Amino acid sequence: MEPVLQINGKIMDWHKPDQFKPSNAFERSTVEFIQQWLSGKSSFNIHTSGSTGKPKSISITRQQMETSARLTIHALQLKPAQTALVCLDTGYIAGKMMLVRALIHRMNIIAVNPAANPLEGISHSPDFTAVVPLQLEEMLKHKQAVEHLNKMSAIIVGGAPVSTVLERKLQQISAPVYATYGMTETVSHIALKKLNGPERSDTFTAFDEVKLDLDARGCLTIQSALTNHEMLVTNDRVNLIDDHHFEWLGRADNTINSGGVKIQSEKVEKVVAQILDELALSNRFFVAGLPDEKLGKKVCLIIEAESIQRDQEEIAVRLQEKLDKYEVPKSILGISRFSETPTGKINRGETLKHLTLTNKA
């Protein structure tokens, strides 16, 4: 029996894919990739998201994608005839790899436009999906979505770090939820971290065939069939526990040297997330270093908001209570709208440029 392929509620005939008429960009990229895969295409040009640098196109082989898919299928114990919910942009690696996993493992596919709550309007509970943290946050607000999540065999979340606040909320989900570590250059993820249940962990576990090490900066290096056995040097600072386990600390370019003290933005952001949750604030934010005559760089909290005056004093007081004195942001700045990458991630560099220009004006 052929697996079912449903795109935005419309059934696509595996044997007559040309008859499917896409009505938007998501449907177009989904159908085009499936057609290319079924025709045996041997390599694919994939665009990076641009969240850690300028977007670029890299070539990835079919064999790399098949290897990545099989490693995930094995790690999550996925089964043929299960249903995969594809709700990420299929123009990028995360969405494409959801399709590849389903295609090579003969899983049913329900593909829906990327949305805050991709389970809205879904009647049949999927068995497996990949989402970003913002989608998971939104789905947890809806009873029916939570019911669907609880029936799944596995949920993977990536594209951005999972906050401690979201991780706490995930303890209500009985299905296993995993954070992923990876990038376009590693053909999606190379490591998983259990976020809920009794096996919850603070460390990522890499696939068996992946070789990990550190460079002189303390940043992770990766060597694997997924990188064509070439060493990939990342910009991620980690605590490498052993050959296959590591704790992610943050990106090297998010390390702020303030008066000779090195502060990791991501560590401060964890505390900020807790404080905003306590204050029932859901604004997006990030921590960055801005130029300072005395310190070189000063720690600043950037919040997406038209005005933050009402909450600024309370946020500042709580930051001083929970952070070391060097980590406390010297300024709390609001900006009406963050710049984003094509995949919806916060583009810190562009946002800071806009913030600087606004302040100069």
Side-chain angles (χ1 to χ4, degrees):
M1 186 175 176
E2 289 283 359
V4 174
L5 173 52
Q6 180 180 301
I7 306 175
N8 284 332
K10 298 175 284 188
I11 301 297
M12 175 176 159
D13 189 333
W14 293 97
H15 304 290
K16 300 174 184 177
D18 291 336
Q19 292 186 359
F20 189 95
K21 303 301 180 186
S23 58
N24 60 32
F26 172 78
E27 292 183 6
R28 194 172 303 113
S29 64
T30 301
V31 172
E32 285 179 358
F33 181 78
I34 290 172
Q35 287 176 315
Q36 292 168 350
W37 189 268
L38 294 177
S39 70
K41 188 172 181 179
S42 59
S43 65
F44 300 83
N45 289 323
I46 314 282
H47 291 279
T48 61
S49 66
S51 59
T52 58
K54 290 184 177 180
K56 59 184 178 180
S57 178
I58 62 175
S59 179
I60 294 175
T61 67
R62 184 187 187 93
Q63 185 176 1
Q64 284 174 282
M65 297 175 90
E66 288 181 346
T67 299
S68 174
R70 290 195 174 97
L71 288 169
T72 299
I73 288 165
H74 175 73
L76 301 179
Q77 299 181 336
L78 301 176
K79 297 177 176 60
Q82 287 185 318
T83 298
L85 173 66
V86 180
C87 55
L88 299 176
D89 190 341
T90 50
Y92 293 89
I93 191 65
K96 290 185 190 297
M97 284 309 303
M98 278 299 296
L99 293 174
V100 174
R101 293 168 195 134
L103 288 167
I104 72 168
H105 207 45
R106 295 187 62 78
M107 300 175 73
N108 301 311
I109 297 173
I110 297 176
V112 297
N113 293 331
N117 178 11
L119 286 169
E120 186 175 5
I122 298 290
S123 56
H124 174 73
S125 294
D127 299 289
F128 169 54
T129 193
V131 294
V132 297
L134 283 174
Q135 289 175 313
L136 207 45
E137 283 269 15
E138 183 63 28
M139 287 187 284
L140 290 174
K141 298 175 184 176
H142 302 275
K143 182 181 177 181
Q144 188 176 29
V146 170
E147 289 174 356
H148 282 310
L149 292 172
N150 279 327
K151 293 177 183 177
M152 292 191 187
S153 296
I155 302 158
I156 57 176
V157 54
V162 174
S163 70
T164 52
V165 175
L166 175 55
E167 191 169 339
R168 187 179 70 246
K169 294 176 183 177
L170 288 174
Q171 305 317 306
Q172 68 179 288
I173 302 298
S174 56
V177 184
Y178 299 88
T180 62
Y181 174 85
M183 57 206 73
T184 306
E185 292 85 348
T186 60
V187 196
S188 188
H189 53 266
I190 55 96
L192 297 170
K193 178 174 72 170
K194 186 83 183 299
L195 293 175
N196 64 339
E199 296 178 349
R200 185 197 156 277
S201 176
D202 292 325
T203 61
F204 283 97
T205 300
F207 296 135
D208 288 343
E209 67 92 42
V210 175
K211 296 179 181 178
L212 305 177
D213 208 341
L214 297 178
D215 70 1
R217 303 169 300 158
C219 289
L220 190 68
T221 67
I222 303 167
Q223 197 167 9
S224 160
L226 303 175
T227 64
N228 273 332
H229 301 288
E230 297 176 0
M231 181 179 288
L232 174 69
V233 180
T234 75
N235 213 21
D236 290 306
R237 295 183 62 246
V238 304
N239 172 24
L240 188 59
I241 297 166
D242 58 35
D243 290 346
H244 285 90
H245 298 86
F246 64 93
E247 180 186 4
W248 184 78
L249 302 176
R251 293 194 56 78
D253 43 9
N254 289 340
T255 302
I256 304 167
N257 190 331
S258 183
V261 178
K262 290 186 177 180
I263 299 148
Q264 195 64 44
S265 295
E266 289 85 354
K267 181 184 176 184
V268 180
E269 287 168 355
K270 283 186 178 181
V271 174
V272 174
Q274 293 172 344
I275 291 171
L276 294 188
D277 183 57
E278 291 167 1
L279 297 173
L281 298 173
S282 57
N283 307 62
R284 293 194 295 178
F285 70 91
F286 64 92
V287 171
L290 294 182
D292 182 82
E293 288 185 6
K294 182 180 179 181
L295 299 171
K297 292 279 187 179
K298 64 178 180 179
V299 180
C300 295
L301 170 58
I302 320 297
I303 298 180
E304 188 176 46
E306 291 286 351
S307 174
I308 55 171
Q309 291 181 352
R310 183 173 62 87
D311 303 294
Q312 187 170 354
E313 185 175 341
E314 182 62 28
I315 293 171
V317 169
R318 298 194 186 203
L319 286 170
Q320 290 173 1
E321 291 173 351
K322 298 186 178 185
L323 290 169
D324 292 339
K325 64 178 182 178
Y326 299 107
E327 297 171 333
V328 175
K330 302 295 185 288
S331 298
I332 301 175
L333 305 170
I335 184 169
S336 59
R337 181 70 180 171
F338 285 168
S339 298
E340 296 180 347
T341 69
T343 54
K345 300 176 187 177
I346 298 172
N347 189 322
R348 297 186 182 213
E350 289 300 316
T351 299
L352 290 175
K353 283 181 187 177
H354 183 68
L355 181 67
T356 303
L357 290 172
T358 302
N359 288 342
K360 284 182 178 179

mmCIF file of all heavy atoms in Angstrom, residues 97-113:
data_model
loop_
_atom_site.group_PDB
_atom_site.id
_atom_site.type_symbol
_atom_site.label_atom_id
_atom_site.label_comp_id
_atom_site.label_asym_id
_atom_site.label_seq_id
_atom_site.Cartn_x
_atom_site.Cartn_y
_atom_site.Cartn_z
ATOM 1 N N MET A 97 14.657 17.666 5.077
ATOM 2 C CA MET A 97 15.021 16.411 5.730
ATOM 3 C C MET A 97 13.812 15.720 6.350
ATOM 4 O O MET A 97 13.784 14.491 6.455
ATOM 5 C CB MET A 97 16.098 16.652 6.786
ATOM 6 C CG MET A 97 17.499 16.862 6.215
ATOM 7 S SD MET A 97 18.009 15.564 5.044
ATOM 8 C CE MET A 97 17.836 14.109 6.053
ATOM 9 N N MET A 98 12.799 16.469 6.735
ATOM 10 C CA MET A 98 11.557 15.814 7.174
ATOM 11 C C MET A 98 10.951 15.021 6.023
ATOM 12 O O MET A 98 10.458 13.898 6.203
ATOM 13 C CB MET A 98 10.565 16.857 7.693
ATOM 14 C CG MET A 98 10.803 17.278 9.130
ATOM 15 S SD MET A 98 10.656 15.897 10.320
ATOM 16 C CE MET A 98 8.924 15.458 10.143
ATOM 17 N N LEU A 99 11.004 15.585 4.824
ATOM 18 C CA LEU A 99 10.490 14.873 3.648
ATOM 19 C C LEU A 99 11.332 13.634 3.356
ATOM 20 O O LEU A 99 10.800 12.555 3.086
ATOM 21 C CB LEU A 99 10.486 15.803 2.432
ATOM 22 C CG LEU A 99 9.508 16.979 2.483
ATOM 23 C CD1 LEU A 99 9.724 17.907 1.284
ATOM 24 C CD2 LEU A 99 8.055 16.491 2.507
ATOM 25 N N VAL A 100 12.669 13.771 3.436
ATOM 26 C CA VAL A 100 13.552 12.641 3.132
ATOM 27 C C VAL A 100 13.321 11.493 4.111
ATOM 28 O O VAL A 100 13.237 10.328 3.711
ATOM 29 C CB VAL A 100 15.038 13.078 3.161
ATOM 30 C CG1 VAL A 100 15.953 11.861 2.989
ATOM 31 C CG2 VAL A 100 15.315 14.090 2.056
ATOM 32 N N ARG A 101 13.203 11.803 5.396
ATOM 33 C CA ARG A 101 12.966 10.746 6.391
ATOM 34 C C ARG A 101 11.703 9.967 6.067
ATOM 35 O O ARG A 101 11.678 8.737 6.136
ATOM 36 C CB ARG A 101 12.867 11.364 7.792
ATOM 37 C CG ARG A 101 14.172 11.962 8.302
ATOM 38 C CD ARG A 101 13.965 12.805 9.552
ATOM 39 N NE ARG A 101 15.140 13.635 9.803
ATOM 40 C CZ ARG A 101 15.100 14.930 10.106
ATOM 41 N NH1 ARG A 101 13.942 15.544 10.234
ATOM 42 N NH2 ARG A 101 16.221 15.603 10.285
ATOM 43 N N ALA A 102 10.658 10.692 5.717
ATOM 44 C CA ALA A 102 9.386 10.032 5.399
ATOM 45 C C ALA A 102 9.476 9.250 4.088
ATOM 46 O O ALA A 102 8.968 8.124 3.985
ATOM 47 C CB ALA A 102 8.271 11.069 5.316
ATOM 48 N N LEU A 103 10.158 9.832 3.100
ATOM 49 C CA LEU A 103 10.235 9.192 1.777
ATOM 50 C C LEU A 103 11.010 7.875 1.822
ATOM 51 O O LEU A 103 10.575 6.872 1.257
ATOM 52 C CB LEU A 103 10.873 10.157 0.771
ATOM 53 C CG LEU A 103 9.999 11.341 0.342
ATOM 54 C CD1 LEU A 103 10.843 12.385 -0.383
ATOM 55 C CD2 LEU A 103 8.854 10.877 -0.545
ATOM 56 N N ILE A 104 12.167 7.863 2.497
ATOM 57 C CA ILE A 104 12.977 6.642 2.475
ATOM 58 C C ILE A 104 12.446 5.587 3.443
ATOM 59 O O ILE A 104 12.764 4.411 3.322
ATOM 60 C CB ILE A 104 14.471 6.922 2.763
ATOM 61 C CG1 ILE A 104 14.706 7.280 4.232
ATOM 62 C CG2 ILE A 104 15.021 7.981 1.850
ATOM 63 C CD1 ILE A 104 16.170 7.280 4.612
ATOM 64 N N HIS A 105 11.614 6.015 4.406
ATOM 65 C CA HIS A 105 11.090 5.073 5.401
ATOM 66 C C HIS A 105 9.622 4.722 5.138
ATOM 67 O O HIS A 105 8.994 4.074 5.971
ATOM 68 C CB HIS A 105 11.245 5.681 6.804
ATOM 69 C CG HIS A 105 11.356 4.669 7.897
ATOM 70 N ND1 HIS A 105 12.152 3.537 7.822
ATOM 71 C CD2 HIS A 105 10.763 4.614 9.132
ATOM 72 C CE1 HIS A 105 12.048 2.843 8.947
ATOM 73 N NE2 HIS A 105 11.208 3.465 9.746
ATOM 74 N N ARG A 106 9.103 5.193 3.992
ATOM 75 C CA ARG A 106 7.728 4.922 3.573
ATOM 76 C C ARG A 106 6.721 5.305 4.659
ATOM 77 O O ARG A 106 5.847 4.518 5.046
ATOM 78 C CB ARG A 106 7.557 3.451 3.167
ATOM 79 C CG ARG A 106 8.379 3.068 1.923
ATOM 80 C CD ARG A 106 8.071 1.671 1.437
ATOM 81 N NE ARG A 106 6.676 1.518 1.025
ATOM 82 C CZ ARG A 106 6.179 1.952 -0.141
ATOM 83 N NH1 ARG A 106 6.959 2.588 -1.011
ATOM 84 N NH2 ARG A 106 4.903 1.737 -0.437
ATOM 85 N N MET A 107 6.883 6.536 5.127
ATOM 86 C CA MET A 107 5.937 7.094 6.093
ATOM 87 C C MET A 107 4.909 7.945 5.354
ATOM 88 O O MET A 107 5.192 8.494 4.282
ATOM 89 C CB MET A 107 6.668 7.956 7.129
ATOM 90 C CG MET A 107 7.709 7.204 7.940
ATOM 91 S SD MET A 107 8.659 8.293 9.043
ATOM 92 C CE MET A 107 7.434 8.655 10.310
ATOM 93 N N ASN A 108 3.723 8.059 5.916
ATOM 94 C CA ASN A 108 2.735 8.993 5.388
ATOM 95 C C ASN A 108 3.195 10.413 5.671
ATOM 96 O O ASN A 108 3.872 10.667 6.684
ATOM 97 C CB ASN A 108 1.374 8.761 6.031
ATOM 98 C CG ASN A 108 0.853 7.353 5.798
ATOM 99 O OD1 ASN A 108 0.848 6.863 4.670
ATOM 100 N ND2 ASN A 108 0.421 6.692 6.857
ATOM 101 N N ILE A 109 2.843 11.327 4.793
ATOM 102 C CA ILE A 109 3.239 12.721 4.955
ATOM 103 C C ILE A 109 2.012 13.620 4.998
ATOM 104 O O ILE A 109 1.165 13.564 4.108
ATOM 105 C CB ILE A 109 4.159 13.181 3.798
ATOM 106 C CG1 ILE A 109 5.469 12.391 3.774
ATOM 107 C CG2 ILE A 109 4.449 14.681 3.911
ATOM 108 C CD1 ILE A 109 6.340 12.666 2.566
ATOM 109 N N ILE A 110 1.941 14.427 6.060
ATOM 110 C CA ILE A 110 0.986 15.533 6.099
ATOM 111 C C ILE A 110 1.837 16.798 6.100
ATOM 112 O O ILE A 110 2.549 17.075 7.073
ATOM 113 C CB ILE A 110 0.095 15.496 7.355
ATOM 114 C CG1 ILE A 110 -0.776 14.244 7.372
ATOM 115 C CG2 ILE A 110 -0.789 16.737 7.410
ATOM 116 C CD1 ILE A 110 -1.613 14.101 8.638
ATOM 117 N N ALA A 111 1.808 17.540 4.999
ATOM 118 C CA ALA A 111 2.580 18.776 4.882
ATOM 119 C C ALA A 111 1.636 19.965 4.962
ATOM 120 O O ALA A 111 0.631 20.018 4.254
ATOM 121 C CB ALA A 111 3.353 18.801 3.567
ATOM 122 N N VAL A 112 1.943 20.901 5.858
ATOM 123 C CA VAL A 112 1.100 22.090 6.032
ATOM 124 C C VAL A 112 1.978 23.332 6.033
ATOM 125 O O VAL A 112 3.139 23.287 6.427
ATOM 126 C CB VAL A 112 0.276 22.029 7.335
ATOM 127 C CG1 VAL A 112 -0.696 20.854 7.315
ATOM 128 C CG2 VAL A 112 1.185 21.936 8.557
ATOM 129 N N ASN A 113 1.407 24.443 5.609
ATOM 130 C CA ASN A 113 2.138 25.709 5.617
ATOM 131 C C ASN A 113 2.732 25.964 6.998
ATOM 132 O O ASN A 113 2.049 25.766 8.008
ATOM 133 C CB ASN A 113 1.209 26.876 5.272
ATOM 134 C CG ASN A 113 0.707 26.832 3.846
ATOM 135 O OD1 ASN A 113 1.381 26.323 2.956
ATOM 136 N ND2 ASN A 113 -0.486 27.370 3.628
#
